[in-house]
Amino acid sequence: MTLGRTRGVALRGVSGTVVEVECFIGQGLPAFEIGGLPDTALRQAAQRVRAAAAGMGESLNQRPVMVNLSPAAIPKQGTAYDVSIAVAALAANGVLRAEAAREVVHVAELGLDGRLRHVAGVLPAVLAARRAGHRHVVVAPDDVAEARLVEGLRVSTATTLEELVGAYRGLRGGDRLPEAADQALAPVVPGPGRDLADVSGQTEARLALELAAAGGHHLMLTGPPGSGKTMLAERLVTILPRLTADEALESLAVRSLVGEVPDGGLDVVPPFVAPHHSASVPALVGGGSPHVLPGALSRAHRGVLFLDEAAEFTQSALQSLRQPLESGRVVIARARQQVVFPARVQLVLAANPCPCGQAWGKGLGCRCRPTERRAYAARLSGPLVDRVDLQVDVPPVTLASLGEGAGESSAAVAARVREARSAQAARWREHGWRLNSDVPGQVLRRAPWRLPAEATAAVDRALDIGDLTVRGYDRVLRVAWTCADLRGRERPDRSDVGRALLHRTRGRAAA
């Protein structure tokens, strides 16, 4: 008995398991069976493989073909197994040597004409192959650049199945398939575009944006339409530090699952994702059936998730953010599997003060009834807002603001943000944290990091009278440390704590 064997990858979220693709061709009536919990698209691989093999003059229609995807207990989905099944079947049929492809991982779809086609999720699949100790992958020509983002792997490709099989048949001894032609993989950097200098006035909001970037804090902007809330949020990524290579790979692995990997190489700019307020819970946090896909929250991993018109999102969608914001990951449970997506983001909320947006200052132009205002404000109250560190009012832009000169550029602010983050990294490195927003509250409330009573008097009183929850108290302390880092101080003083408390409670009672 001759078995054809090669490798594929079963993805579960951004993690993957290398699958052994086994094929046995027996005697009897023609059939093509695929075992190992395949979904509908994978079961249809039989037709695609048969047609592609026939196109190169090899028939798989004469005898029963049995394919097993091991481990068989893991659900398998999608069309990325097509080429591995075809190679294993042709090896079992004696068209190529069984040993040649045994340890090679194949990730590509087959067309009926035998062409190798793009599949989503190539980057996490190749990362899974490397973690499992494999060093050779075959992908479609369109996916070579994406696969090359993973270092330490030999990446091969072919235009058609016939070309790939011909390359395998030409191997002698310990030869391997030729490596795909080099492609330029220069890091993607932002071109000229949005800059913080474009924002007129809004001094307090700009300072809050800098604080958010320096400490990794969540931010809420409240103000009337046209005051610049969206403009400010869009410029947060311009003052955030560029991603490291590992962080960029983490982010791109999620985006690869939905086909959002950019051409050219590693995208080192933090992602900015702004879903529409009509987004459903699965669109926001992930889900779907039968394929579980990442939502906007995970696609913004290592970047910014911006919810414009936040009060217009459904309550279920907003509440679904609470647990991922604390844990930094999304867990989606299904009957047969549990899928985990990373979701370490900075959340930025933008909201109007009322449904018509004119309840500002004296509110003379507001047409909303008091009950409507209260109901509108209640949409963003409670546990979600309690997780937002900085809550800032954004007033209307005045003629005097428009007459002011341009504010600081993104480059100037980004330099201060980098210095503040360096100070945080040095302070918390031995504890395993990078930013002030990562530090557990109990650490900041105990020696040696506890601040003196005179520095925390205001926030202690706010907690005593119920204006702050314990979570809010801890978040004020984190922001105070970020204020001190931006000022170049070793520890926060009373003014830093006061500023942090002001940003926490302005314009609304703390949750």
Side-chain angles (χ1 to χ4, degrees), residues 277-281 310-319:
H277 59 74
S278 63
S280 64
V281 173
E312 301 296 336
F313 282 78
T314 64
Q315 284 295 300
S316 57
L318 291 175
Q319 297 308 316

Side-chain angles (χ1 to χ4, degrees), residues 391-407:
Q391 301 166 30
V392 183
D393 291 338
V394 185
V397 178
T398 63
L399 183 61
S401 299
L402 289 176
E404 295 176 359

Side-chain angles (χ1 to χ4, degrees), residues 144-145 148 155-157 178-184:
V144 169
R148 280 192 178 279
V155 179
S156 300
T157 190
E179 197 162 1
D182 289 338
Q183 298 187 20

Side-chain angles (χ1 to χ4, degrees), residues 32-57:
F32 201 122
E33 299 292 335
I34 300 175
L37 295 182
D39 68 351
T40 301
L42 180 49
R43 284 195 296 270
Q44 292 171 348
Q47 285 73 40
R48 294 189 292 272
V49 170
R50 277 175 162 171
M56 56 178 287

Side-chain angles (χ1 to χ4, degrees), residues 160-221:
T160 64
L161 178 62
E162 183 175 12
E163 180 183 330
L164 177 62
V165 171
Y168 272 124
R169 295 177 71 176
L171 298 180
R172 295 291 181 270
D175 291 349
R176 295 190 295 172
L177 293 177
E179 197 162 1
D182 289 338
Q183 298 187 20
L185 293 175
V188 177
V189 295
R194 298 185 178 98
D195 194 284
L196 201 53
D198 302 333
V199 179
S200 299
Q202 305 297 9
T203 302
E204 185 176 347
R206 289 171 59 101
L207 291 173
L209 204 69
E210 184 175 342
L211 266 174
H217 305 291
H218 303 312
L219 172 66
M220 180 172 176
L221 304 170

Side-chain angles (χ1 to χ4, degrees), residues 397-453:
V397 178
T398 63
L399 183 61
S401 299
L402 289 176
E404 295 176 359
E408 282 188 296
S409 67
S410 291
V413 177
R416 291 199 297 272
V417 168
R418 286 194 297 272
E419 290 180 8
R421 288 200 171 204
S422 295
Q424 294 167 57
R427 180 191 307 124
W428 306 120
R429 183 177 293 115
E430 64 182 82
H431 304 285
W433 306 308
R434 298 173 53 196
L435 299 173
N436 292 329
S437 58
D438 299 331
V439 183
Q442 62 267 28
V443 173
L444 298 178
R445 288 185 263 113
R446 296 172 183 168
W449 306 108
R450 180 172 177 81
L451 301 178

Side-chain angles (χ1 to χ4, degrees), residues 457-468:
V459 71
D460 291 342
R461 174 171 172 75
L463 179 63
D464 261 350
I465 64 177
D467 280 350
L468 282 179

Side-chain angles (χ1 to χ4, degrees), residues 43-408:
R43 284 195 296 270
Q44 292 171 348
Q47 285 73 40
R48 294 189 292 272
V49 170
R50 277 175 162 171
M56 56 178 287
E58 299 292 339
S59 176
L60 295 174
N61 298 319
Q62 307 302 318
R63 294 186 291 170
V65 178
M66 289 164 280
V67 175
N68 181 52
L69 307 177
S70 179
I74 298 176
K76 319 295 191 308
Q77 300 172 340
T79 60
Y81 300 89
D82 286 6
V83 173
S84 57
I85 291 173
V87 169
L90 292 172
N93 208 29
V95 177
L96 57 93
R97 289 188 301 110
E99 300 79 17
R102 183 164 184 166
E103 297 303 322
V104 180
V105 178
H106 299 81
V107 183
E109 179 184 320
L110 273 179
L112 294 180
D113 58 357
R115 284 182 298 150
L116 273 64
R117 292 178 172 172
H118 159 78
V119 292
V122 166
L123 182 55
V126 174
L127 284 168
R130 185 181 68 175
R131 284 194 295 269
H134 295 274
R135 292 294 180 264
H136 194 178
V137 298
V138 173
V139 298
D142 291 343
D143 295 330
V144 169
E146 187 174 337
R148 280 192 178 279
L149 295 175
V150 182
E151 297 180 352
L153 284 174
R154 184 182 186 90
V155 179
S156 300
T157 190
T159 305
T160 64
L161 178 62
E162 183 175 12
E163 180 183 330
L164 177 62
V165 171
Y168 272 124
R169 295 177 71 176
L171 298 180
R172 295 291 181 270
D175 291 349
R176 295 190 295 172
L177 293 177
E179 197 162 1
D182 289 338
Q183 298 187 20
L185 293 175
V188 177
V189 295
R194 298 185 178 98
D195 194 284
L196 201 53
D198 302 333
V199 179
S200 299
Q202 305 297 9
T203 302
E204 185 176 347
R206 289 171 59 101
L207 291 173
L209 204 69
E210 184 175 342
L211 266 174
H217 305 291
H218 303 312
L219 172 66
M220 180 172 176
L221 304 170
T222 305
S227 58
K229 302 185 296 295
T230 302
M231 194 176 190
L232 285 160
E234 290 175 341
R235 281 150 182 78
L236 177 55
V237 293
T238 68
I239 61 175
L240 288 173
R242 297 291 174 251
L243 302 178
T244 64
D246 288 342
E247 291 170 343
L249 279 176
E250 281 182 31
S251 176
L252 287 177
V254 178
R255 293 157 64 185
S256 173
L257 295 172
V258 291
E260 291 185 356
V261 174
D263 296 331
L266 277 180
D267 188 356
V268 297
V269 180
F272 180 86
V273 180
H276 190 262
H277 59 74
S278 63
S280 64
V281 173
L284 195 58
V285 299
S289 179
H291 301 297
V292 179
L293 295 176
L297 184 61
S298 293
R299 289 188 285 112
H301 179 59
R302 298 293 181 185
V304 176
L305 176 67
F306 176 48
L307 303 187
D308 199 5
E309 303 294 346
E312 301 296 336
F313 282 78
T314 64
Q315 284 295 300
S316 57
L318 291 175
Q319 297 308 316
S320 68
L321 297 174
R322 289 161 52 183
Q323 186 272 335
L325 288 177
E326 291 290 325
S327 65
R329 62 179 192 158
V330 173
V331 181
I332 300 172
R334 291 290 185 265
R336 289 185 174 179
Q337 60 181 332
Q338 181 172 281
V339 180
V340 179
F341 294 112
R344 194 159 296 282
V345 303
Q346 278 190 252
L347 176 66
V348 179
L349 304 172
N352 294 329
C354 69
C356 76
Q358 301 306 315
W360 192 262
K362 295 182 179 180
L364 299 179
C366 179
R367 303 182 299 275
C368 304
R369 294 190 296 271
T371 54
E372 291 176 326
R373 292 189 192 181
R374 286 195 296 271
Y376 192 79
R379 295 183 184 183
L380 290 176
S381 64
L384 177 63
V385 174
D386 201 31
R387 289 166 168 80
V388 179
D389 306 350
L390 302 166
Q391 301 166 30
V392 183
D393 291 338
V394 185
V397 178
T398 63
L399 183 61
S401 299
L402 289 176
E404 295 176 359
E408 282 188 296

